[in-house]
PDB file of all heavy atoms in Angstrom:
ATOM      1  N   GLY Y  56     120.192 135.607 117.558  1.00 94.00           N
ATOM      2  CA  GLY Y  56     119.944 135.438 118.996  1.00 94.00           C
ATOM      3  C   GLY Y  56     120.427 136.638 119.784  1.00 94.00           C
ATOM      4  O   GLY Y  56     119.719 137.140 120.656  1.00 94.00           O
ATOM      5  N   ALA Y  57     121.600 137.137 119.425  1.00 93.00           N
ATOM      6  CA  ALA Y  57     122.148 138.306 120.123  1.00 93.00           C
ATOM      7  C   ALA Y  57     121.250 139.508 119.935  1.00 93.00           C
ATOM      8  O   ALA Y  57     120.978 140.268 120.869  1.00 93.00           O
ATOM      9  CB  ALA Y  57     123.544 138.605 119.620  1.00 93.00           C
ATOM     10  N   TYR Y  58     120.793 139.721 118.666  1.00 93.00           N
ATOM     11  CA  TYR Y  58     119.885 140.851 118.400  1.00 93.00           C
ATOM     12  C   TYR Y  58     118.549 140.659 119.083  1.00 93.00           C
ATOM     13  O   TYR Y  58     117.940 141.624 119.530  1.00 93.00           O
ATOM     14  CB  TYR Y  58     119.699 141.063 116.890  1.00 93.00           C
ATOM     15  CG  TYR Y  58     120.731 141.966 116.319  1.00 93.00           C
ATOM     16  CD1 TYR Y  58     121.878 141.426 115.761  1.00 93.00           C
ATOM     17  CD2 TYR Y  58     120.616 143.328 116.395  1.00 93.00           C
ATOM     18  CE1 TYR Y  58     122.865 142.263 115.233  1.00 93.00           C
ATOM     19  CE2 TYR Y  58     121.586 144.177 115.898  1.00 93.00           C
ATOM     20  CZ  TYR Y  58     122.699 143.629 115.317  1.00 93.00           C
ATOM     21  OH  TYR Y  58     123.695 144.443 114.842  1.00 93.00           O
ATOM     22  N   PHE Y  59     118.094 139.418 119.186  1.00 93.00           N
ATOM     23  CA  PHE Y  59     116.848 139.133 119.919  1.00 93.00           C
ATOM     24  C   PHE Y  59     116.946 139.663 121.341  1.00 93.00           C
ATOM     25  O   PHE Y  59     116.083 140.403 121.821  1.00 93.00           O
ATOM     26  CB  PHE Y  59     116.636 137.594 119.920  1.00 93.00           C
ATOM     27  CG  PHE Y  59     115.445 137.116 120.707  1.00 93.00           C
ATOM     28  CD1 PHE Y  59     114.187 137.230 120.176  1.00 93.00           C
ATOM     29  CD2 PHE Y  59     115.625 136.578 121.964  1.00 93.00           C
ATOM     30  CE1 PHE Y  59     113.085 136.788 120.911  1.00 93.00           C
ATOM     31  CE2 PHE Y  59     114.534 136.135 122.686  1.00 93.00           C
ATOM     32  CZ  PHE Y  59     113.280 136.249 122.151  1.00 93.00           C
ATOM     33  N   ALA Y  60     118.046 139.330 122.048  1.00 91.00           N
ATOM     34  CA  ALA Y  60     118.216 139.808 123.414  1.00 91.00           C
ATOM     35  C   ALA Y  60     118.345 141.328 123.443  1.00 91.00           C
ATOM     36  O   ALA Y  60     117.769 141.984 124.337  1.00 91.00           O
ATOM     37  CB  ALA Y  60     119.464 139.163 124.038  1.00 91.00           C
ATOM     38  N   PHE Y  61     119.046 141.857 122.460  1.00 91.00           N
ATOM     39  CA  PHE Y  61     119.259 143.317 122.429  1.00 91.00           C
ATOM     40  C   PHE Y  61     117.959 144.059 122.265  1.00 91.00           C
ATOM     41  O   PHE Y  61     117.642 144.983 123.010  1.00 91.00           O
ATOM     42  CB  PHE Y  61     120.216 143.692 121.300  1.00 91.00           C
ATOM     43  CG  PHE Y  61     120.324 145.208 121.138  1.00 91.00           C
ATOM     44  CD1 PHE Y  61     121.129 145.915 122.007  1.00 91.00           C
ATOM     45  CD2 PHE Y  61     119.640 145.843 120.139  1.00 91.00           C
ATOM     46  CE1 PHE Y  61     121.197 147.292 121.864  1.00 91.00           C
ATOM     47  CE2 PHE Y  61     119.739 147.223 119.990  1.00 91.00           C
ATOM     48  CZ  PHE Y  61     120.505 147.946 120.846  1.00 91.00           C
ATOM     49  N   TRP Y  62     117.113 143.646 121.286  1.00 91.00           N
ATOM     50  CA  TRP Y  62     115.858 144.375 121.054  1.00 91.00           C
ATOM     51  C   TRP Y  62     114.893 144.143 122.200  1.00 91.00           C
ATOM     52  O   TRP Y  62     114.188 145.083 122.598  1.00 91.00           O
ATOM     53  CB  TRP Y  62     115.237 143.957 119.732  1.00 91.00           C
ATOM     54  CG  TRP Y  62     116.021 144.434 118.575  1.00 91.00           C
ATOM     55  CD1 TRP Y  62     116.597 143.637 117.595  1.00 91.00           C
ATOM     56  CD2 TRP Y  62     116.329 145.790 118.212  1.00 91.00           C
ATOM     57  NE1 TRP Y  62     117.272 144.437 116.679  1.00 91.00           N
ATOM     58  CE2 TRP Y  62     117.138 145.753 117.049  1.00 91.00           C
ATOM     59  CE3 TRP Y  62     116.056 147.007 118.782  1.00 91.00           C
ATOM     60  CZ2 TRP Y  62     117.606 146.886 116.409  1.00 91.00           C
ATOM     61  CZ3 TRP Y  62     116.537 148.162 118.148  1.00 91.00           C
ATOM     62  CH2 TRP Y  62     117.316 148.084 117.003  1.00 91.00           C
ATOM     63  N   ALA Y  63     114.884 142.922 122.743  1.00 90.00           N
ATOM     64  CA  ALA Y  63     113.981 142.668 123.893  1.00 90.00           C
ATOM     65  C   ALA Y  63     114.364 143.573 125.045  1.00 90.00           C
ATOM     66  O   ALA Y  63     113.524 144.046 125.797  1.00 90.00           O
ATOM     67  CB  ALA Y  63     114.069 141.207 124.261  1.00 90.00           C
ATOM     68  N   PHE Y  64     115.682 143.798 125.240  1.00 88.00           N
ATOM     69  CA  PHE Y  64     116.182 144.606 126.321  1.00 88.00           C
ATOM     70  C   PHE Y  64     115.930 146.093 126.080  1.00 88.00           C
ATOM     71  O   PHE Y  64     115.413 146.826 126.969  1.00 88.00           O
ATOM     72  CB  PHE Y  64     117.685 144.353 126.538  1.00 88.00           C
ATOM     73  CG  PHE Y  64     118.271 145.157 127.677  1.00 88.00           C
ATOM     74  CD1 PHE Y  64     117.901 144.860 128.964  1.00 88.00           C
ATOM     75  CD2 PHE Y  64     119.200 146.123 127.438  1.00 88.00           C
ATOM     76  CE1 PHE Y  64     118.451 145.591 130.025  1.00 88.00           C
ATOM     77  CE2 PHE Y  64     119.751 146.830 128.507  1.00 88.00           C
ATOM     78  CZ  PHE Y  64     119.357 146.579 129.787  1.00 88.00           C
ATOM     79  N   SER Y  65     116.197 146.566 124.869  1.00 87.00           N
ATOM     80  CA  SER Y  65     116.112 148.020 124.643  1.00 87.00           C
ATOM     81  C   SER Y  65     114.736 148.485 124.314  1.00 87.00           C
ATOM     82  O   SER Y  65     114.355 149.622 124.605  1.00 87.00           O
ATOM     83  CB  SER Y  65     117.092 148.436 123.573  1.00 87.00           C
ATOM     84  OG  SER Y  65     116.791 147.819 122.389  1.00 87.00           O
ATOM     85  N   LEU Y  66     113.901 147.631 123.721  1.00 89.00           N
ATOM     86  CA  LEU Y  66     112.545 148.076 123.364  1.00 89.00           C
ATOM     87  C   LEU Y  66     111.525 147.666 124.437  1.00 89.00           C
ATOM     88  O   LEU Y  66     110.691 148.457 124.842  1.00 89.00           O
ATOM     89  CB  LEU Y  66     112.122 147.501 122.030  1.00 89.00           C
ATOM     90  CG  LEU Y  66     112.874 148.013 120.780  1.00 89.00           C
ATOM     91  CD1 LEU Y  66     112.330 147.369 119.511  1.00 89.00           C
ATOM     92  CD2 LEU Y  66     112.796 149.548 120.691  1.00 89.00           C
ATOM     93  N   LEU Y  67     111.618 146.403 124.867  1.00 88.00           N
ATOM     94  CA  LEU Y  67     110.621 145.895 125.821  1.00 88.00           C
ATOM     95  C   LEU Y  67     111.140 145.918 127.265  1.00 88.00           C
ATOM     96  O   LEU Y  67     110.392 145.529 128.188  1.00 88.00           O
ATOM     97  CB  LEU Y  67     110.203 144.476 125.441  1.00 88.00           C
ATOM     98  CG  LEU Y  67     109.722 144.258 123.978  1.00 88.00           C
ATOM     99  CD1 LEU Y  67     109.536 142.800 123.699  1.00 88.00           C
ATOM    100  CD2 LEU Y  67     108.411 145.022 123.774  1.00 88.00           C
ATOM    101  N   HIS Y  68     112.408 146.310 127.439  1.00 85.00           N
ATOM    102  CA  HIS Y  68     113.032 146.306 128.747  1.00 85.00           C
ATOM    103  C   HIS Y  68     112.946 144.946 129.430  1.00 85.00           C
ATOM    104  O   HIS Y  68     112.686 144.827 130.628  1.00 85.00           O
ATOM    105  CB  HIS Y  68     112.436 147.384 129.645  1.00 85.00           C
ATOM    106  CG  HIS Y  68     112.500 148.714 129.005  1.00 85.00           C
ATOM    107  ND1 HIS Y  68     113.685 149.404 128.815  1.00 85.00           N
ATOM    108  CD2 HIS Y  68     111.539 149.498 128.447  1.00 85.00           C
ATOM    109  CE1 HIS Y  68     113.460 150.533 128.203  1.00 85.00           C
ATOM    110  NE2 HIS Y  68     112.155 150.633 127.953  1.00 85.00           N
ATOM    111  N   LEU Y  69     113.097 143.947 128.616  1.00 85.00           N
ATOM    112  CA  LEU Y  69     113.025 142.563 129.124  1.00 85.00           C
ATOM    113  C   LEU Y  69     114.370 142.211 129.744  1.00 85.00           C
ATOM    114  O   LEU Y  69     115.415 142.531 129.169  1.00 85.00           O
ATOM    115  CB  LEU Y  69     112.732 141.647 127.934  1.00 85.00           C
ATOM    116  CG  LEU Y  69     112.263 140.214 128.290  1.00 85.00           C
ATOM    117  CD1 LEU Y  69     110.891 140.234 128.903  1.00 85.00           C
ATOM    118  CD2 LEU Y  69     112.229 139.364 127.007  1.00 85.00           C
ATOM    119  N   ASN Y  70     114.358 141.577 130.862  1.00 85.00           N
ATOM    120  CA  ASN Y  70     115.586 141.128 131.503  1.00 85.00           C
ATOM    121  C   ASN Y  70     116.344 140.166 130.584  1.00 85.00           C
ATOM    122  O   ASN Y  70     115.765 139.166 130.136  1.00 85.00           O
ATOM    123  CB  ASN Y  70     115.226 140.439 132.827  1.00 85.00           C
ATOM    124  CG  ASN Y  70     116.460 140.103 133.626  1.00 85.00           C
ATOM    125  OD1 ASN Y  70     117.475 139.682 133.078  1.00 85.00           O
ATOM    126  ND2 ASN Y  70     116.369 140.269 134.938  1.00 85.00           N
ATOM    127  N   PRO Y  71     117.625 140.440 130.255  1.00 83.00           N
ATOM    128  CA  PRO Y  71     118.367 139.582 129.312  1.00 83.00           C
ATOM    129  C   PRO Y  71     118.399 138.130 129.783  1.00 83.00           C
ATOM    130  O   PRO Y  71     118.418 137.223 128.922  1.00 83.00           O
ATOM    131  CB  PRO Y  71     119.757 140.152 129.347  1.00 83.00           C
ATOM    132  CG  PRO Y  71     119.581 141.591 129.730  1.00 83.00           C
ATOM    133  CD  PRO Y  71     118.423 141.615 130.651  1.00 83.00           C
ATOM    134  N   LEU Y  72     118.387 137.874 131.086  1.00 86.00           N
ATOM    135  CA  LEU Y  72     118.397 136.492 131.546  1.00 86.00           C
ATOM    136  C   LEU Y  72     117.121 135.776 131.121  1.00 86.00           C
ATOM    137  O   LEU Y  72     117.100 134.601 130.796  1.00 86.00           O
ATOM    138  CB  LEU Y  72     118.557 136.448 133.078  1.00 86.00           C
ATOM    139  CG  LEU Y  72     119.835 137.114 133.587  1.00 86.00           C
ATOM    140  CD1 LEU Y  72     119.874 136.980 135.095  1.00 86.00           C
ATOM    141  CD2 LEU Y  72     121.051 136.485 132.949  1.00 86.00           C
ATOM    142  N   LEU Y  73     116.041 136.537 131.096  1.00 87.00           N
ATOM    143  CA  LEU Y  73     114.770 136.000 130.669  1.00 87.00           C
ATOM    144  C   LEU Y  73     114.775 135.741 129.165  1.00 87.00           C
ATOM    145  O   LEU Y  73     114.254 134.733 128.698  1.00 87.00           O
ATOM    146  CB  LEU Y  73     113.660 136.975 131.030  1.00 87.00           C
ATOM    147  CG  LEU Y  73     112.266 136.388 131.237  1.00 87.00           C
ATOM    148  CD1 LEU Y  73     112.293 135.429 132.399  1.00 87.00           C
ATOM    149  CD2 LEU Y  73     111.252 137.500 131.486  1.00 87.00           C
ATOM    150  N   SER Y  74     115.410 136.645 128.398  1.00 88.00           N
ATOM    151  CA  SER Y  74     115.477 136.402 126.936  1.00 88.00           C
ATOM    152  C   SER Y  74     116.299 135.155 126.606  1.00 88.00           C
ATOM    153  O   SER Y  74     116.039 134.536 125.607  1.00 88.00           O
ATOM    154  CB  SER Y  74     115.974 137.580 126.136  1.00 88.00           C
ATOM    155  OG  SER Y  74     116.484 138.580 126.889  1.00 88.00           O
ATOM    156  N   VAL Y  75     117.278 134.797 127.468  1.00 88.00           N
ATOM    157  CA  VAL Y  75     118.016 133.577 127.230  1.00 88.00           C
ATOM    158  C   VAL Y  75     117.042 132.385 127.224  1.00 88.00           C
ATOM    159  O   VAL Y  75     117.011 131.547 126.342  1.00 88.00           O
ATOM    160  CB  VAL Y  75     119.141 133.346 128.261  1.00 88.00           C
ATOM    161  CG1 VAL Y  75     119.788 132.002 128.048  1.00 88.00           C
ATOM    162  CG2 VAL Y  75     120.148 134.458 128.177  1.00 88.00           C
TER     163      VAL Y  75
END
Side-chain angles (χ1 to χ4, degrees):
Chain Y
Y58 272 95
F59 175 79
F61 173 78
W62 291 119
F64 181 67
S65 60
L66 294 180
L67 307 172
H68 306 290
L69 194 69
N70 186 322
L72 301 180
L73 206 61
S74 9
V75 175

